[in-house]
Amino acid sequence: MVVGYLSAVAVLLAERGVPVRALCVDGPDAFAGSLTLDAPHERAGGRGAVWNPTRLHWEAATGWSASLSRRDHEHLDAAVRYLPSQQVVPAPVTVAHLVVALRADPDTHRASALLPHLHQIDRRLLVARLSGFEPFEPRR
């Protein structure tokens, strides 16, 4: 079920020019997983964005977070931004919009640097919501 949800997000990201390199589920019974994103191409003049989302993580208790990496010649730093949402399973398009906004501006108003409140999880509702997503299967 989690694979289907993450797949739906990955497809929408790819449509927006954000390729997903890997999809990982934390375990067979876990309601958590992550997407590893490819770095964006460098901008004209040889300078890429300073901060870029490189990994997305979803878990039922906290929702979506994005790890941002800053690359330069000296070091690698990281920061985390959260998708504020009242929903445990926000629509995949909402997540895709967040990533696009983070690529344009890591301080976008759509994201928060603070961990959101923990969701109270009703397992039956969570299973029902996640079962609506089918795993993505590449075309042959």
Side-chain angles (χ1 to χ4, degrees), residues 6-22 35-41 52-56 66-68 95-104:
L6 295 177
S7 294
V9 172
V11 167
L12 290 173
L13 288 172
E15 289 174 0
R16 287 159 175 77
V18 183
V20 174
R21 189 176 343 134
L35 298 171
T36 302
L37 308 178
D38 277 344
H41 297 292
N52 292 299
T54 55
R55 184 173 175 268
L56 299 176
S67 296
L68 306 178
V95 181
H97 286 312
L98 171 71
V99 174
V100 170
L102 284 170
R103 285 178 73 147

Side-chain angles (χ1 to χ4, degrees), residues 5 10 32 36 53 57 60 66 79 81 84 87-89 97 99 101 111 120 126 140:
Y5 181 48
T36 302
H57 184 76
R81 296 290 184 266
Q87 298 178 343
V88 175
V89 184
H97 286 312
V99 174
Q120 295 293 332
L126 184 59
R140 298 179 197 253

